Amino acid sequence: MNDPIISQRQQGVLTLTLNRPAKRNALNGVMYQALTQQLREAALDADVRVVLLQGQQDCFTAGNDLGDFIGKESLGEDDPILQFLHTLADFPKPLVAAVAGAAVGIGTTLLLHCDLVYLADNARLQLPFVELGLVPEFASSLLLPRAVGHLKACELLLLAEPLSAREALDLGLANQVLAPGDLLAHAKHQAERLADKPPLALQRSKALLKQELRQAVHFVIDTEARAFSLALQGEEAQARIARKLATRG
């Protein structure tokens, strides 16, 4: 199928599969818009109790499509990226992620907003924002230090040190590590277990777990977006991004 986001519904689970393998599932504006629409519809659909987000057995996502950043001036409130960030952060139902292979940039930061995260043992998480002359996004400057501590967060965000699946598990960024061939089936099984729970109790429990940081998350998403926009306009980021794209041929 040519659809960059494949959606399937079964047993109360909406599975959203990133489907741009030729570009290593790099997210572009069309994909952000599709994901946002699917999430907004799922939030209102009583038949959807859980959302499972996945890629393929060898790739989750290479992050944002860097080509979209060339010449981009800002991330305004109507930008598809920012719309997606706020929609995912505020999604009221359980979110499950199944991650194999590369999970770069937003491929890692979105996991901080998921409720269950399963990694294949070939997963590799990385946050190369500074490497590209950019700054953290998706409230990662707030959530990552809380999850792994300030020093480790600096190592991941400032040095852009990659994380293996086992390291991510040890840091508490994942629930379980599995063989690539077992990942998607296991994540789906866990999503179906959640979908079998009383839906109102499930959503209210998630809301309680998220309530402490809910307002702060949205505030930081916007604060980071303003800083990201300033960085994106600068020569430093544009030169780094152009160089990165040139090395990919």
Side-chain angles (χ1 to χ4, degrees), residues 188-203:
K188 183 179 179 182
H189 173 70
Q190 296 296 83
E192 289 172 351
R193 288 184 61 198
L194 283 174
D196 197 42
K197 308 291 183 185
L200 289 179
L202 200 63
Q203 292 177 45

Side-chain angles (χ1 to χ4, degrees), residues 88-103:
L88 185 72
D90 219 24
F91 189 68
K93 300 174 183 181
L95 285 161
V96 180
V99 179

Side-chain angles (χ1 to χ4, degrees), residues 4-20:
I5 305 295
I6 298 172
S7 63
Q8 297 174 306
R9 299 184 183 212
Q10 188 175 15
Q11 294 182 262
V13 177
L14 172 64
T15 300
L16 299 176
T17 304
L18 306 179
N19 185 44
R20 201 185 178 207

Side-chain angles (χ1 to χ4, degrees), residues 12-247:
V13 177
L14 172 64
T15 300
L16 299 176
T17 304
L18 306 179
N19 185 44
R20 201 185 178 207
K23 294 291 186 178
R24 299 175 67 227
N25 289 340
L27 295 168
N28 59 17
V30 171
M31 296 172 76
Y32 283 120
Q33 289 174 333
L35 287 167
T36 299
Q37 181 179 346
Q38 290 280 357
L39 289 171
R40 288 175 175 173
E41 291 176 356
L44 300 174
D45 189 342
D47 291 332
V48 175
R49 298 187 175 188
V50 180
V51 168
L52 169 60
L53 185 61
Q54 63 182 25
Q56 292 77 43
Q57 292 182 11
D58 59 349
C59 184
F60 184 56
T61 174
N64 198 91
D65 189 325
L66 294 181
D68 286 3
F69 283 158
I70 294 294
K72 192 178 183 73
E73 295 184 355
S74 67
L75 289 177
E77 63 180 18
D78 294 328
D79 190 283
I81 297 175
L82 206 54
Q83 291 285 311
F84 169 72
L85 301 188
H86 282 296
T87 300
L88 185 72
D90 219 24
F91 189 68
K93 300 174 183 181
L95 285 161
V96 180
V99 179
V104 180
I106 195 168
T108 290
T109 58
L110 71 82
L111 303 180
L112 300 172
H113 299 269
C114 292
D115 304 299
L116 293 175
V117 175
Y118 299 100
L119 304 178
D121 58 23
N122 66 351
R124 182 180 176 88
L125 283 57
Q126 193 168 20
L127 299 163
F129 303 116
V130 172
E131 294 285 311
L132 295 170
L134 299 170
V135 299
E137 39 86 318
F138 213 169
S140 56
S141 63
L142 170 70
L143 298 176
L144 193 60
R146 292 180 68 94
V148 304
H150 176 77
L151 297 179
K152 190 65 179 181
C154 286
E155 184 178 284
L156 298 175
L157 286 169
L158 303 186
L159 287 174
E161 293 287 353
L163 276 180
S164 70
R166 291 292 172 185
E167 289 169 331
L169 180 66
D170 290 342
L171 287 172
L173 297 176
N175 295 91
Q176 194 171 345
V177 174
L178 302 107
D182 298 330
L183 173 70
L184 302 184
H186 180 78
K188 183 179 179 182
H189 173 70
Q190 296 296 83
E192 289 172 351
R193 288 184 61 198
L194 283 174
D196 197 42
K197 308 291 183 185
L200 289 179
L202 200 63
Q203 292 177 45
R204 288 168 179 165
S205 296
K206 171 172 175 168
L208 289 168
L209 287 164
K210 296 277 189 178
Q211 67 174 341
E212 180 187 4
L213 293 178
R214 184 173 180 272
Q215 289 185 331
V217 162
H218 289 288
F219 175 80
V220 174
I221 286 173
D222 288 332
T223 301
E224 289 173 343
R226 289 191 291 271
F228 197 99
S229 293
L230 288 174
L232 195 57
Q233 294 168 24
E235 293 181 5
E236 191 174 75
Q238 290 296 315
R240 288 273 181 152
I241 292 168
R243 189 185 313 163
K244 186 76 170 178
L245 288 170
T247 60

